[in-house]
Amino acid sequence: MIEEIEITKAIIKTSVDELMDSLQADVVIGGGGPSGLVAGKYLAQAGKKVVLFERKLSVGGGMWGGGMMFPKIVVQKEALGIMDEFSIKYEKKGSSYVSSSIEAVSKLISGCCDAGCRIFNCISIEDVMIRENCVCGVVINWSTVEISGLHVDPVTVSAKAVIDATGHPLEICKIVERKAGKLDTSTGKILGERSMWAEKAESMVVGNTRQIFPGLYVSGMAANAAFGAPRMGPIFGGMLLSGKEVSKKVLEAID
Ligand code: 48H
């Protein structure tokens, strides 16, 4: 027998229990694009309590759309190890490799979930918590509240480290720049994303993946935007490598 109230209770209770159990995380990841999902897998695999908040209904960020909505992505040789770890198939084309963007996103999500990363969709990070000049958590609200412009106060989740994986708009870094002051860049400010130069962008993104303020790390496209590096178009190896790199840096810091 199917009982509607039982269905409702099962959904609400498990969701609330999971959120309650996530309020004191080891790591919070802001944004479920490729770099956030890769970071989520490796951090959860290392035994950390990892919570990923994604504003949209679906995680995957800019990867679903491939290049100009042709559902393919390109990755370079250096990222094939990560592709293999997520069981994403690829085919050699010239000096690079091409994959289905749909398969790639779905397997990144699957690998991230299987490793134990908690993913909450439809929730936006709208602020951070700072104690003694160190980011120690995030301030969250339903994305629908944000979209509708309702005046509803947010709630908080604490973390030993926060990762800004929000892509081009690097939203968490912008909040910290505005409210806390000096970031760890050459000017103390966000340097801004530069125009397309795929080779340079891909070679810089891993180096730009690092702590940008005590307790706050930046990965993926947000890392290049923070440190004044170019964009790269629909080549995603750098995003995957950046996700793995940020997981290493965070583990070194919090262990
Ligand atoms: C919760 C948020 C918030 C918030 C945003 O853009 P993404 O795919 O990010 P990356 O860095 O993993 O990958 C970038 C890649 O997709 C890309 O855009 C490339 C390679 N571009 C090159 C080029 O030349 O254009 O994902 C970020 C995610 C999205 O899903 C957002 O909805 C989400 O973060 N997000 N979630 N709270 N405040 N802000």
Side-chain angles (χ1 to χ4, degrees), residues 29-38 52-64 66 120 122-127 139-141 143 146 164-172 175 193-197 201-202 205 219-223 230-240 242-243:
I29 302 173
S35 74
L37 291 167
V38 170
L52 187 157
F53 293 110
E54 165 56 49
R55 167 179 286 140
K56 295 193 176 147
L57 187 55
S58 57
V59 280
M63 206 184 215
W64 290 110
F120 293 95
C122 301
I123 291 181
S124 294
I125 295 178
E126 62 165 64
D127 203 346
V139 177
I140 57 167
N141 215 329
S143 302
E146 181 187 60
D164 184 342
T166 63
H168 294 270
L170 72 167
E171 293 197 10
I172 305 174
I175 293 163
E193 182 186 307
R194 299 284 175 260
S195 289
M196 179 90 81
W197 186 348
E202 286 291 285
V205 69
S219 73
M221 199 57 231
R231 65 190 299 186
M232 68 290 287
I235 177 159
F236 280 82
M239 298 300 108
L240 307 181
S242 171

Side-chain angles (χ1 to χ4, degrees), residues 64-77:
W64 290 110
M68 210 185 84
M69 286 203 273
F70 294 107
K72 300 286 178 195
I73 54 156
V74 166
V75 292
Q76 58 278 56
K77 187 164 73 348

Side-chain angles (χ1 to χ4, degrees), residues 3 12 15 17 50 61 65 89 92 131 147 153 155 182 188 195 200 203 206 208 220 225 243 245 250:
E3 226 278 77
I12 294 178
S15 302
D17 285 351
V50 193
K89 297 190 289 300
K92 193 163 187 337
R131 296 285 179 282
I147 292 161
D153 275 358
V155 297
K182 215 163 170 294
S195 289
K200 196 168 171 197
S203 71
V206 173
N208 288 334
E245 177 70 12
V250 167

Side-chain angles (χ1 to χ4, degrees), residues 148-168:
S148 59
L150 289 174
H151 185 166
V152 178
D153 275 358
V155 297
T156 49
V157 175
S158 74
K160 295 175 187 155
V162 172
I163 300 173
D164 184 342
T166 63
H168 294 270

